[in-house]
Amino acid sequence: MKNRFTIGEFSRLAIIPAKTLRYYDEIGLFKPVEVDSGTGYRYYSLEQLEPLDMIKYLRFLGVSLAEIQEHFRRRQIHGFLQLLKNQEAETEREIRRLRAKQKCFQKRVSEIEEALSLDKVGIPFIKSFSARRIFRVEGTIQTRSEIEFSLRKLAKLVPKEADFYIGMGKVGFVFSYDDLVHRRFGHYSAIYVILDEDLKDSQYVHLLPEKECACIFYRGSFVESVKYYPPLL
């Protein structure tokens, strides 16, 4: 039975692109059994299907090529076991990241659908809110550029585990009672984001107690929000 296969024949037999076999050869991960010195043609054997299947299996699990090379270099069962455990732990982390993304999708879609279905735009109303934790950064914020800089500062300071990204919403601004009384609605003293995840207490993490709040919905950009403050007073 034939036991020498060109790279094209072997790629079809092993169901793997020929360019992948060439790359594996280049990095020293999976080499042909023979290379014709005259033509440079690569030849593979049936015995190589088993290790190639292992490479394909480990790649499916997400194991890096460098880790696979190290496994083939050592070929120790305890090392292989640890490799699988490590990749299982990484898979669990990725699952948590994907679930967090799914949660963001669901929340943002729900918010947009709610906004599109509103029939009381521009009309003040009272709404009860349960206690919420926020991540708050102090600073004078009055101009559009200061708003943009404060957003970037907030994004930089919020811990990674909060999964906060500019553009996902949940951002609020604070102005002082004195500015409220004198109707300086565009003068803010802090910026914050409402937290979905529990974070360790810090100088930035604050608790908004349960309370009833005056609210208003509007459609437009953030800079247009100042004209909707007076109806709330």
Side-chain angles (χ1 to χ4, degrees):
M1 183 178 179
K2 179 180 179 180
N3 198 22
R4 282 294 184 273
F5 302 88
T6 65
I7 192 169
E9 293 172 329
F10 194 72
S11 70
R12 290 189 292 272
L13 184 63
I15 316 176
I16 189 171
K19 65 178 182 180
T20 301
L21 290 173
R22 292 190 183 95
Y23 180 65
Y24 286 174
D25 181 16
E26 290 172 6
I27 66 174
L29 174 62
F30 185 78
K31 289 186 166 295
V33 293
E34 180 184 341
V35 177
D36 189 294
S37 59
T39 63
Y41 289 169
R42 298 172 174 88
Y43 292 94
Y44 298 83
S45 69
L46 292 173
E47 290 77 15
Q48 290 184 284
L49 288 172
E50 183 178 352
L52 183 58
D53 286 338
M54 176 59 71
I55 292 172
K56 291 166 64 178
Y57 170 67
L58 291 175
R59 290 299 289 150
F60 166 73
L61 294 180
V63 180
S64 71
L65 292 176
E67 290 173 311
I68 295 174
Q69 279 185 304
E70 183 65 14
H71 163 63
F72 277 106
R73 188 180 71 82
R74 292 178 178 272
R75 291 186 178 274
Q76 295 177 348
I77 186 60
H78 294 294
F80 182 57
L81 177 60
Q82 190 59 51
L83 175 66
L84 294 178
K85 287 183 176 181
N86 291 343
Q87 193 58 39
E88 181 184 23
E90 177 56 35
T91 301
E92 288 292 339
R93 288 190 289 270
E94 182 61 23
I95 289 172
R96 288 195 293 270
R97 288 193 289 267
L98 290 174
R99 284 175 177 165
K101 286 183 180 181
Q102 182 185 44
K103 186 177 179 181
C104 287
F105 279 125
Q106 293 171 340
K107 186 174 181 61
R108 198 60 169 154
V109 167
S110 177
E111 290 172 347
I112 294 174
E113 288 178 341
E114 180 184 10
L116 291 173
S117 65
L118 292 174
D119 58 0
K120 293 183 178 180
V121 177
I123 301 174
F125 63 96
I126 301 297
K127 182 177 180 179
S128 296
F129 289 91
S130 57
R132 293 169 294 171
R133 287 164 65 84
I134 63 172
F135 192 93
R136 171 173 166 167
V137 178
E138 307 291 332
T140 301
I141 308 168
Q142 297 181 13
T143 66
R144 181 59 184 266
S145 61
E146 288 173 338
I147 290 173
E148 293 299 334
F149 278 119
S150 64
L151 280 168
R152 271 66 197 171
K153 182 179 180 180
L154 180 68
K156 186 176 182 179
L157 289 173
V158 173
K160 290 183 179 180
E161 59 265 31
D163 290 319
F164 168 69
Y165 298 92
I166 298 173
M168 67 188 298
K170 304 186 298 182
V171 175
F173 291 85
V174 178
F175 49 81
S176 67
Y177 178 76
D178 184 64
D179 285 330
L180 174 64
V181 169
H182 292 89
R183 293 175 176 261
R184 295 189 291 261
F185 300 125
H187 292 199
Y188 304 108
S189 59
I191 183 174
Y192 68 88
V193 58
I194 299 173
L195 299 172
D196 288 330
E197 304 292 334
D198 288 333
L199 296 180
K200 295 179 180 179
D201 290 336
S202 72
Q203 61 176 316
Y204 302 111
V205 177
H206 301 266
L207 178 68
L208 292 180
E210 179 181 355
K211 62 174 62 177
E212 290 187 335
C213 300
C215 306
I216 192 169
F217 289 114
Y218 77 95
R219 293 192 178 106
S221 66
F222 172 76
V223 294
E224 298 176 76
S225 64
V226 293
K227 65 184 180 183
Y228 291 96
Y229 289 126
L232 295 172
L233 300 179

